Amino acid sequence: MKSIFILNLVLFTSFPFYNETIAQTTPHFDSTYYQFILNETTSFRRHTSARNADMDNDGDSDVVVANGTFSSAGFTFVRNLGNGFYSSPTHYLASLFSNDVAVGDFNNDGLKDVVVSNTGINWEGTIISVFLNLGNASFGPAVNYTVGRGPIGVTAADLDNDGDIDIAVANNGSFGNGSTVSVLVNNGNATFQNALTFPGGNAPFKIRAARINNDNLLDLVVANGSRIVNILFNTGNNNFTNRVELISESGFSNGLYGAVAIDDIDNDNDNDILYAPGFRFTGSSDRGSVALFRNQGTGTFNPVQYLQSVLFTLPSTDVEVADLNGDGWKDIVTTSPLPEQLMDIWFI
């Protein structure tokens, strides 16, 4: 694997309403930025997760943002107008505080639909909400499905290889005492069977689907608390009982709200796993560390490697992967709550 170059970006936040702008410390990115307000002044919404996808089939990426607050939940849709600007936000309501969002074409009509978790302010939720895309950049009302308590992470993918998009959910329980994953199989018409429940390890938070071993089935990867990643291997027939835990060992303190990203980091044609341990309320020596589990090609992994920030003073709370400089290698972007408004990028 290539050597790693670290770039620190500083995020300046203006309050209220979490409107974020970016100021760069190196010339790796264009200095132009735009700021778009997603909140109404009369109803504060906390934005918990976001996805970019072409929701209106016009060839550019729109934005879908999960909302969570005491007074409203669901998601906000912002349409890309095609010239670097976006439409006014449209809000779609769910029952409870929404902690994650995913998109997928659930009814095979060529339009991407939306699913959000309904966690609840006190983790009391037991449902997810599906919103079907009606075309013309609008969505239908929420259709709810029962899952485990405190659903947080949600992902959409064809888990049973039947050509339609299924849903998997990480059930965090009541403030982290949950231990299950729910899988909802698509009937092929945007309705879903009753959730199948599988062990997901302690305090599951975020979840992603990807091929981890060398079969042709999508597996599930769960970011848990306490330095742990769980892999639920897909053995066919919607069975995810074959579970393996990866432990990041001494590199991390116990974290909350872990995150994972999955991609071929070392260009050897299999998917590796990156794990960010999440927020911690007390000080930590982790300093923004991200754990890298390099796949040996069969769903087994080399010993964990650590990528450590030179500026973060708390663990990383999120991680994403993309080839940012066009050199054919996947780069890594992470965030951390301290120092405030700081983001790291590892160029590989």
Side-chain angles (χ1 to χ4, degrees), residues 43-46 67-74 93-98:
S43 178
F44 171 74
R45 287 176 170 85
R46 174 175 174 256
N67 297 324
T69 183
F70 288 98
S71 59
S72 67
L93 296 181
S95 299
L96 295 171
F97 183 113
S98 302

Side-chain angles (χ1 to χ4, degrees), residues 171-216:
N171 302 311
N172 194 255
S174 177
F175 294 96
N177 67 1
S179 61
T180 64
V181 166
S182 295
V183 172
L184 294 91
V185 177
N186 195 330
N187 291 317
N189 57 1
T191 64
F192 293 85
Q193 297 175 24
N194 291 338
L196 303 170
T197 302
F198 301 96
N202 182 57
F205 194 72
K206 290 297 180 74
I207 186 169
R208 295 289 180 265
R211 289 181 178 86
I212 300 301
N213 52 13
N214 53 10
D215 62 16
N216 198 38

